[in-house]
Amino acid sequence: MIQDGDKIAVGLSGGKDSVALLALLAAYKKFAPEKFELLAINIDLGFSDTNPKEVEATKNYCQSIGVELIIEHTQIYDIILERGEKSPCSLCSKMRRGALNSIAKEHGCNKLALGHHADDVLETFLLSLIYEGRISTFMPVSHMDRSNITLIRPLVYIEEKYLSGLARRYELPIIHNPCPQDKHTKREDAKLLINEMEEKYGCKQNMLTALFNPQRNNLWDKTYKN
C-alpha cells in the first residue's frame, strides 16, 4: 500500500474513521521503513450548518501532527438539491471522490487513502448482493487510470468499534455530518441488518473471515499481499 517516495492524500471527511486513519498514518510515518508524505484533504460540500468550531478543531489537530490540511469549498450539496435526486448519496459520493482526486493530483499526490473499515467491506458486500445481484465489494488497493492515482484503504481489516474506541481515547476532533440523509441510507440499513444478525447468530466475525480469506473467495485479487 505504501512505498518509498509516496505522497498520500488522506480523504478527511471529519468523521471518526477518516480522522482515525490520519492519526494512524501520521503515527506510522514516524517509524515506517518507507519514507512518504501526508496531505489531508477535506471536501466542503456546501452545508450551511457545518459547525465552525469543529472545523477549527480539526485544523488545529492537523497542525499539531504536522500534516497540511487543504479545505476545498464546493457547491456539491446545492447541485444535488437542484437536480432533485431521489437517491442523492451515489451522486454525492461520485462528485466528492472526483473532487478528492482532482485536488490530490493538483498537489502532486500519487495515492489517495480512504477510511473504509471492515464493517464497510461487509456492508458493501451485502448492498451489492441485495440491490445489484452480484457478489462484490471494494478493493484494498486499486489504481484509477483516469486520474493515475492509486486508491488505498489501510483500515479494511479493522472493525469500526476499534476506531470508535481510538477516537474516544485520544479525543480526536470530529466534524459531525450535517447531511439530512445521514442515518437514512441503504448503507445504514445494511449496518442495522448486520447488527441484528450478530445479535441473533453471532456471525459477524465468520462473515468477515469468509470475505477476507482468499482460500474461501475470489473477491480480492490473489496478488494483493499488503
Side-chain angles (χ1 to χ4, degrees):
M1 279 192 182
I2 299 176
Q3 298 170 314
D4 276 327
D6 281 344
K7 186 171 184 180
I8 304 172
V10 179
L12 190 67
S13 68
K16 69 180 187 312
D17 303 332
S18 63
V19 179
L21 172 62
L22 180 63
L24 291 170
L25 286 177
Y28 177 64
K29 186 174 183 290
K30 294 178 181 179
F31 63 86
E34 307 89 359
K35 303 302 180 184
F36 62 94
E37 297 180 57
L38 284 177
L39 174 72
I41 302 176
N42 173 264
I43 303 300
D44 176 6
L45 301 179
F47 295 111
S48 60
D49 49 355
T50 299
N51 189 325
K53 292 183 178 179
E54 293 178 346
V55 175
E56 190 63 28
T58 298
K59 288 181 181 178
N60 293 337
Y61 176 72
C62 289
Q63 185 176 13
S64 72
I65 61 174
V67 176
E68 181 184 2
L69 171 63
I70 304 295
I71 298 180
E72 179 71 8
H73 299 285
T74 73
Q75 296 180 317
I76 290 176
Y77 182 59
D78 289 338
I79 293 171
I80 292 174
L81 280 182
E82 289 176 3
R83 293 185 54 156
E85 295 284 332
K86 292 183 179 179
S87 300
C89 297
S90 177
L91 177 60
C92 180
S93 177
K94 290 177 181 177
M95 295 179 70
R96 187 171 65 248
R97 182 73 57 81
L100 274 173
N101 289 344
S102 296
I103 301 303
K105 194 168 182 65
E106 180 181 320
H107 286 82
C109 297
N110 66 310
K111 289 183 179 175
L112 172 63
L114 300 180
H116 294 127
H117 45 66
D119 293 71
D120 289 323
V121 173
L122 189 51
E123 290 161 15
T124 300
F125 170 78
L126 285 181
L127 289 171
S128 294
L129 184 65
I130 294 170
Y131 293 104
E132 299 175 355
R134 63 192 182 104
I135 296 176
S136 176
T137 191
F138 48 66
M139 298 284 289
V141 178
S142 56
H143 185 74
M144 297 176 287
D145 293 331
R146 183 174 299 179
S147 61
N148 197 30
I149 288 179
T150 298
L151 181 63
I152 63 173
R153 296 178 169 94
L155 305 181
V156 289
Y157 291 110
I158 302 177
E159 292 184 49
E160 183 178 18
K161 62 183 179 182
Y162 298 116
L163 298 176
S164 298
L166 178 73
R168 288 193 301 269
R169 179 174 180 178
Y170 292 97
E171 299 181 340
L172 298 179
I174 304 299
I175 301 175
H176 291 90
N177 189 355
C179 176
Q181 294 293 323
D182 188 37
K183 307 300 183 185
H184 300 284
T185 64
K186 290 179 179 179
R187 180 167 293 276
E188 184 67 19
D189 291 341
K191 182 187 295 290
L192 294 175
L193 176 59
I194 292 168
N195 290 340
E196 291 176 7
M197 295 171 69
E198 171 66 10
E199 184 177 346
K200 188 172 182 179
Y201 304 111
C203 60
K204 180 181 175 182
Q205 192 56 55
N206 283 343
M207 295 167 73
L208 288 172
T209 299
L211 287 177
F212 292 151
N213 190 335
Q215 296 179 345
R216 299 186 182 186
N217 73 76
N218 61 353
L219 288 176
W220 287 352
D221 184 0
K222 301 301 188 298
T223 62
Y224 174 70
K225 301 295 184 183
N226 298 312

